[in-house]
Amino acid sequence: MLEHMLVTLNTTVPFVLLALLGLFLKRKGMINDNFIVMGNKVVFYFAIPTTIFRSIHTADLQEVFDVGFIAFNAVWLVIFFVATWIFALKLMKDKSSVSSFVNSAYRSSLSVVAPPLFALMFAPTHHPGIDANIYAKSILSVSILLILSYATAAVLFAVHDPDSRKGSSLTMGIIKSIAKNPVVIGVVIGLVFNFFGWTLTSDVAANIYDAEGNIIAVEITRSPTFASNTMNALAGLVMPLAMICVGGNLAFKGFDVKFKYVIISSVVKLFIMPIASVIAAMLFGFTGSDLTIIMILNALPMAVGAYVMQAELGGDTYVGASVLMITMTFSAFTLTMFLFLFRILGFWA
């Protein structure tokens, strides 16, 4: 259990430290509100779409496709998203914070925290005797849910965007808002590249010689090109730039109604979502590693991309930044607690 906590801490603590750096820089006047706004734009319009494209365009989406397992995770995400949205609309007095509350409560850090944790738990390199399909299934679930979480969030912000409600048709406004969302565009382009087998690497041939200097084989390897290297550098901006902007937006406003939203959204993300997902999964007969994967997917901290999305699309950045910091800070302990309970109860060996 300690190993799992250390992996999660090693993944999440840099986020917290970079946010604290952003808070320090803002207090010292080294960054200002304009820097934060422009930084969020760079991340949202360029870095995040690049990250999404890079992870999708070469992914083997057919390697392990358990229809029932994938369908459960996808349907559960949509159901929880809709339920949280209805809850927020009915009970939140400040409707301007609804989109950020919902976005913070259901969006998991699928692209950053999930992969190293799944690698530790299920990768054959760490567990030589384990079924390799378990790890492949977890990564495939991450890829599909990543696409779905951005799609549902695009609908959420389109509905709550005043511009999308202008004109003759609310539906057309929402469709246009989603269609021009750079993250959605990144997903679509990535899927197109994946479907046609296009890559941003080049094949390099290398001769293999025997002891006498004769060529006995030709080895073909994939080498990165200027395009892939540029995209890798751009994708690398997501975590540091976004978290510095998060820190710049952090401000404790006292125990007002918005802070109550922050606490409730954090509790939903760290406790209610994973517990409810496990109960639902058990009702559908999932056990063992499948049940463990489902729990982790729902117990992860809030996604950095979720904050960036709400910052750029007119959400409440105070709610988003605060929930991100709280869930990133405490997720190592809550995740470890759930894994410990799973082992005690025999759900996971």
Side-chain angles (χ1 to χ4, degrees):
M1 288 299 110
L2 179 61
E3 188 178 10
H4 298 108
M5 178 179 285
L6 288 175
V7 168
T8 313
L9 282 171
N10 286 335
T11 306
T12 58
V13 167
F15 286 79
V16 177
L17 294 179
L18 283 168
L20 292 176
L21 174 62
L23 179 62
F24 172 80
L25 295 175
K26 180 74 179 296
R27 293 281 178 87
K28 292 296 183 180
M30 301 174 72
I31 63 173
N32 55 23
D33 292 337
N34 186 61
F35 175 92
I36 294 170
V37 171
M38 293 299 106
N40 282 325
K41 285 184 181 294
V42 170
V43 174
F44 181 68
Y45 286 101
F46 297 98
I48 288 181
T50 299
T51 303
I52 298 298
F53 168 82
R54 190 181 61 167
S55 64
I56 292 175
H57 89 286
T58 57
D60 187 354
L61 300 180
Q62 295 180 338
E63 181 180 354
V64 180
F65 197 85
D66 184 332
V67 176
F69 183 76
I70 297 298
F72 172 83
N73 281 294
V75 172
W76 167 254
L77 180 68
V78 174
I79 289 175
F80 194 85
F81 160 67
V82 173
T84 307
W85 196 355
I86 293 173
F87 168 82
L89 287 172
K90 286 185 175 293
L91 297 181
M92 289 177 64
K93 295 180 180 180
D94 188 351
K95 302 304 180 186
S96 66
S97 299
V98 166
S99 58
S100 293
F101 175 91
V102 176
N103 190 52
S104 302
Y106 89 101
R107 296 278 300 280
S108 296
S109 183
L110 297 167
S111 60
V112 176
V113 180
L117 189 58
F118 282 137
L120 171 68
M121 295 180 62
F122 302 123
T125 52
H126 290 279
H127 306 279
I130 200 170
D131 182 358
N133 287 337
I134 297 175
Y135 179 60
K137 184 188 292 187
S138 68
I139 297 302
L140 177 62
S141 300
V142 166
S143 301
I144 292 175
L145 292 181
L146 192 63
I147 297 170
L148 188 57
S149 64
Y150 272 108
T152 50
V155 174
L156 172 70
F157 284 103
V159 171
H160 287 277
D161 180 8
D163 292 334
S164 71
R165 297 195 291 270
K166 294 177 181 178
S168 58
S169 171
L170 172 62
T171 303
M172 285 305 299
I174 294 174
I175 292 173
K176 290 179 181 178
S177 178
I178 294 172
K180 67 183 182 182
N181 187 301
V183 176
V184 175
I185 295 171
V187 169
V188 172
I189 296 175
L191 290 174
V192 170
F193 269 67
N194 191 296
F195 179 80
F196 289 104
W198 300 336
T199 67
L200 298 178
T201 57
S202 60
D203 292 336
V204 177
N207 295 329
I208 299 177
Y209 300 90
D210 61 14
E212 298 175 355
N214 300 313
I215 299 175
I216 58 175
V218 178
E219 182 180 32
I220 304 297
T221 58
R222 289 277 177 95
S223 176
T225 62
F226 72 91
S228 59
N229 285 333
T230 301
M231 295 189 76
N232 290 340
L234 185 57
L237 286 175
V238 173
M239 197 264 271
L241 183 55
M243 291 310 298
I244 287 175
C245 292
V246 166
N249 267 324
L250 284 175
F252 180 64
K253 300 180 179 180
F255 295 94
D256 58 1
V257 66
K258 286 197 174 184
F259 187 73
K260 181 175 70 175
Y261 297 158
V262 169
I263 297 300
I264 295 174
S265 186
S266 300
V267 170
V268 170
K269 184 72 210 71
L270 293 177
F271 293 98
I272 295 177
M273 189 174 184
I275 292 173
S277 70
V278 169
I279 294 173
M282 292 177 68
L283 291 175
F284 279 87
F286 291 102
T287 59
S289 60
D290 284 353
L291 190 62
T292 305
I293 292 171
I294 290 170
M295 181 275 291
I296 293 173
L297 289 171
N298 290 275
L300 294 167
M302 174 187 167
V304 176
Y307 160 77
V308 175
M309 197 170 189
Q310 63 196 45
E312 181 56 30
L313 298 182
D316 190 324
T317 54
Y318 167 70
V319 171
S322 301
V323 173
L324 181 58
M325 279 293 289
I326 291 174
T327 57
M328 280 290 181
T329 302
F330 290 100
S331 61
F333 305 99
T334 56
L335 263 170
T336 303
M337 177 191 70
F338 284 128
L339 289 172
F340 180 70
L341 289 174
F342 262 48
R343 178 159 286 177
I344 290 177
L345 297 174
F347 296 154
W348 171 55

